[in-house]
């Protein structure tokens, strides 16, 4: 598995990806790294499938790989995992990521970023998502499957998950938090470019 990952990194070169390579994919805020950590100090990636703005599987995967590298690079000492927060507001089959792309994402996550995912929180998935989930869940290995949490805003028990994992003052209102700030592409881009500069310096040292 390690040899396969080294071969993949040698050919894919994820450490060479920079914000200008993926900025178009991030215009709508469909996936971005949040500017806060969860209570365990894990980086947070926010995903909003309904804001899909491209059709390229390659471009979407490259964007996600870039953000995973960024999320891991920004982890505090002693922490090795990230959390995915998936907002299903407005989700439909027309905006859903194709099964082919989803399968490729799962493959990259499980085979080349093993144990990097702490939790994936599916927030308010609609009932019709069940049909899509029946297909996707078969791509997941047992460990990854156990990290998937379904949370519904009308279920007080499931909402406890959000209170246990996040400071509600930092959490977006879309996830039951108190924060009302919306995604700002230009502001996020400036942060990503700053991170790129730090990342370049790191690899030069290495």
């Amino acid at each position: 598995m390690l040899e396969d990952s080294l071969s993949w990194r040698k050919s894919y070169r994820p450490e060479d990806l920079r914000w200008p390579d993926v900025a178009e994919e991030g215009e709508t805020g469909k996936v971005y790294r949040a500017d806060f950590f969860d209570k365990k100090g894990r980086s947070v990636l926010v995903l909003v499938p309904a804001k899909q703005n491209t059709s390229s599987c390659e471009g979407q995967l490259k964007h996600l790989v870039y953000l995973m590298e960024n999320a891991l690079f920004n982890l505090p000492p002693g922490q090795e995992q990230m959390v995915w927060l998936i907002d299903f507001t407005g989700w439909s089959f027309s905006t859903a990521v194709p099964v082919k792309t989803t399968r490729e994402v799962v493959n990259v996550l499980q085979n080349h970023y093993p144990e990097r995912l702490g939790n994936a929180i599916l927030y308010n998935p609609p009932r019709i998502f069940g049909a899509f989930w029946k297909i996707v869940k078969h791509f997941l290995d047992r460990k990854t499957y156990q990290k998937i949490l379904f949370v519904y805003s009308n279920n007080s028990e499931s909402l406890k998950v959000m209170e246990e994992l996040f400071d509600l003052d930092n959490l977006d209102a879309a996830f039951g938090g108190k924060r009302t700030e919306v995604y700002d592409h230009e502001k996020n881009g400036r942060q990503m470019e700053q991170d790129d500069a730090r990342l370049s310096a790191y690899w030069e040292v290495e």
Side-chain angles (χ1 to χ4, degrees):
M1 188 175 181
L2 178 58
E3 289 176 347
D4 287 344
S5 284
L6 289 172
S7 177
W8 175 78
R9 293 191 72 89
K10 184 177 180 179
S11 61
Y12 201 87
R13 304 291 297 177
E15 70 275 9
D16 289 342
L17 291 175
R18 296 295 180 266
W19 179 243
D21 301 324
V22 299
E24 181 182 358
E25 291 284 344
E27 286 181 351
T28 60
K30 65 184 179 185
V31 190
Y32 62 93
R33 179 177 66 80
D35 59 0
F36 60 87
F37 300 94
D38 77 348
K39 289 183 178 179
K40 296 181 180 181
R42 300 179 294 188
S43 292
V44 178
L45 288 188
V46 177
L47 297 85
V48 190
K51 294 185 177 181
Q52 182 60 261
N53 62 326
T54 64
S55 58
S56 168
C57 173
E58 180 181 357
Q60 292 167 11
L61 183 60
K62 184 182 293 185
H63 182 216
L64 184 60
V65 167
Y66 168 82
L67 287 172
M68 287 197 292
E69 290 283 317
N70 181 278
L72 298 175
F73 182 70
N74 280 283
L75 285 171
Q79 182 53 262
E80 297 183 345
Q81 293 185 319
M82 57 185 160
V83 176
W84 289 10
L85 270 177
I86 309 174
D87 176 11
F88 278 87
T89 300
W91 187 93
S92 68
F93 283 111
S94 62
T95 60
V97 175
V99 172
K100 176 185 176 182
T101 304
T102 302
R103 188 167 194 165
E104 188 63 27
V105 167
V106 171
N107 174 61
V108 169
L109 178 65
Q110 293 183 158
N111 294 329
H112 306 310
Y113 295 89
E115 291 305 303
R116 289 298 205 171
L117 181 68
N119 289 111
I121 298 172
L122 281 58
Y123 196 84
N124 280 339
R127 184 168 296 179
I128 58 172
F129 176 74
F132 186 79
W133 176 243
K134 286 180 180 179
I135 299 173
V136 173
K137 69 181 182 180
H138 294 295
F139 304 155
L140 307 176
D141 61 32
R142 183 177 58 84
K143 285 187 176 180
T144 304
Y145 183 82
Q146 292 174 342
K147 296 174 181 178
I148 308 298
L149 303 175
F150 285 77
V151 176
Y152 298 91
S153 58
N154 61 357
N155 184 310
S156 59
E157 283 301 311
S158 69
L159 281 177
K160 289 181 180 178
V161 170
M162 307 304 284
E163 296 175 359
E164 292 171 358
L165 293 179
F166 302 98
D167 181 339
L168 296 185
D169 288 332
N170 293 331
L171 194 64
D172 294 342
F175 296 104
K178 300 178 181 179
R179 191 171 181 178
T180 58
E181 184 179 350
V182 297
Y183 174 77
D184 185 324
H185 185 58
E186 291 187 5
K187 178 181 178 181
N188 182 70
R190 289 192 296 270
Q191 181 60 61
M192 294 298 101
E193 288 173 345
Q194 290 175 18
D195 289 349
D196 285 350
R198 292 193 299 115
L199 186 64
S200 294
Y202 171 81
W203 283 110
E204 284 175 9
V205 172
E206 287 294 299

